[in-house]
Amino acid sequence: MQETPFCLSVGNLLSYSMSDSNSTDFTNPSTFILLGIPGLEGAQVWLSIPFCAMYAIVILGNFTILFIVKREPSLHGPMYYFLCMLVIADMVPSTAVVPKILSIFWFNSREINFSACLIQMFCLLSCSLVHSGILVAMAFDRYVAICDPLRYSTTLTNPVVAKIGLALVLRGVMLALPYPFLARRWPYCRTNIIPYTYCKHIAVVKLACADIRLSSYYSLAVAFLVTGVDVFCISMSYTQILRVIFSLPTKEARLKTFGTCGSHFCVILACYIAHLFSALTERFGHNMALHFHVLMNNMYLLVPPMLNPIIYGLRSQQIRDSLLQLFTH
């Protein structure tokens, strides 16, 4: 029976891993091997085109937002400071992952250093937590602006915004630190092949020949407590916002007020819908092909960061006017 190219490539990688493990201490492997997108090896060069295009949009769009906010004094306010934080939290995970993905697609450079793999994992997890916290801060900003506008300028001052941003970064870093710490302590005796394009946490810990229940319990605790609390806070903020909006006397006033938080609401939907879809396919898509899982995980890292500057660029009149003025000059 003729073997498929995928079976041959996996077999070659396994044999390489076995031969390499004989000469190194596999309890703490020096490198991992990223398979890329298993089953689509022949199409990876073509797949690199949309990946490269989306990453270019992420970098160009988000840097444009940062440049416009820095350049335009009228945008120096809490809402746009939080937007800049969101932009940075979007760009870091993409930059930590996409260059390596493209090197796999273009140069077949599949190896990644063990420490670099843990750093990549830490960047993805910490930025995800920071990103979720920034969405909460932006919801609080819109809550104060709409429900208590007279105290907006005294409540969200620049020092307060800076302290909120620092607290969110510290929260993300502290909650993400146990992931690489635990992964580094475990012995790895099965294989060093990761069937993904990047060092996804669950894919790495599954390679450990040890009891990983502690990591599983911690992941569940972070998912339910931290993400759950963030979603609850956002829901409560928008419940109060909608209550105030629907109490306004005219339709024009309601539309104008809702327009001030429409961009943030769209970003929340893009982020959490993508996260929910990725989680559901991971949990219930056991019959789906592996390459579909890998593609969905990559889209989760690229699509929301690509949409955020588009959403704010289309919906925010001030950013639109500043961008038009920039191109006019």
Side-chain angles (χ1 to χ4, degrees):
M1 186 166 120
Q2 188 177 6
E3 296 186 21
T4 63
F6 173 58
C7 293
L8 290 172
S9 63
V10 173
N12 291 336
L13 287 171
L14 283 169
S15 61
Y16 171 79
S17 175
M18 294 286 289
S19 63
D20 188 62
S21 65
N22 293 329
S23 59
T24 60
D25 181 14
F26 200 63
T27 301
N28 189 10
S30 59
T31 59
F32 282 116
I33 298 174
L34 301 170
L35 282 186
I37 305 179
L40 295 179
E41 288 83 0
Q44 287 184 161
V45 174
W46 296 106
L47 287 172
S48 69
I49 297 173
F51 272 81
C52 191
M54 285 189 288
Y55 182 59
I57 294 172
V58 168
I59 296 300
L60 181 61
N62 287 292
F63 265 116
T64 301
I65 295 289
L66 290 174
F67 177 76
I68 288 175
V69 172
K70 182 180 183 301
R71 179 178 179 271
E72 186 57 50
S74 64
L75 300 180
H76 293 176
M79 182 175 73
Y80 293 102
Y81 289 151
F82 287 132
L83 175 60
C84 290
M85 296 178 197
L86 187 74
V87 160
I88 295 171
D90 278 337
M91 286 194 296
V92 171
S94 301
T95 303
V97 168
V98 176
K100 182 60 182 176
I101 293 176
L102 294 178
S103 72
I104 295 172
F105 289 172
W106 291 340
F107 311 113
N108 203 31
S109 175
R110 301 175 184 271
E111 290 190 1
I112 183 170
N113 184 272
F114 182 61
S115 297
C117 184
L118 296 181
I119 292 172
Q120 189 185 71
M121 180 198 305
F122 172 75
C123 286
L124 294 174
L125 294 169
S126 60
C127 286
S128 176
L129 292 166
V130 172
H131 188 279
S132 180
I134 294 171
L135 291 178
V136 176
M138 296 176 80
F140 176 69
D141 168 81
R142 291 299 85 202
Y143 165 77
V144 177
I146 293 173
C147 300
D148 198 4
L150 297 179
R151 298 178 58 186
Y152 180 74
S153 59
T154 56
T155 302
L156 287 172
T157 60
N158 287 346
V160 170
V161 172
K163 289 176 183 176
I164 292 174
L166 179 61
L168 293 175
V169 172
L170 289 176
R171 185 190 79 154
V173 169
M174 295 304 294
L175 289 174
L177 270 177
Y179 291 103
F181 177 76
L182 290 172
R184 192 171 190 86
R185 290 173 58 89
W186 285 323
Y188 294 87
C189 56
R190 294 192 177 105
T191 179
N192 62 343
I193 296 176
I194 301 174
Y196 282 87
T197 53
Y198 61 92
C199 291
K200 187 178 181 181
H201 171 252
I202 189 63
V204 174
V205 299
K206 281 182 177 179
L207 302 181
C209 51
D211 188 355
I212 61 170
R213 284 181 295 179
L214 178 60
S215 179
S216 300
Y217 293 152
Y218 183 75
S219 299
L220 285 174
V222 170
F224 281 105
L225 295 178
V226 179
T227 308
V229 169
D230 288 351
V231 172
F232 175 77
C233 292
I234 292 172
S235 301
M236 291 301 296
S237 296
Y238 270 95
T239 299
Q240 297 299 316
I241 288 170
L242 291 174
R243 183 180 62 82
V244 171
I245 289 175
F246 286 122
S247 66
L248 294 175
T250 63
K251 180 180 179 181
E252 290 75 13
R254 289 194 291 269
L255 291 174
K256 183 178 180 181
T257 305
F258 185 75
T260 62
C261 57
S263 299
H264 177 241
F265 189 70
C266 292
V267 168
I268 290 173
L269 289 178
C271 174
Y272 282 111
I273 288 175
H275 180 73
L276 180 64
F277 186 74
S278 177
L280 289 176
T281 55
E282 191 74 34
R283 177 66 181 84
F284 300 106
H286 302 297
N287 295 325
M288 296 179 182
L290 179 58
H291 65 262
F292 181 80
H293 285 280
V294 177
L295 285 172
M296 287 302 101
N297 279 278
N298 288 318
M299 292 303 102
Y300 171 65
L301 292 175
L302 282 170
V303 172
M306 182 181 67
L307 291 178
N308 291 350
I310 297 174
I311 291 171
Y312 274 94
L314 291 176
R315 293 192 59 87
S316 175
Q317 183 68 38
Q318 289 174 290
I319 292 180
R320 229 175 24 244
D321 292 343
S322 300
L323 187 62
L324 182 62
Q325 184 181 6
L326 178 66
F327 279 111
T328 303
H329 283 302

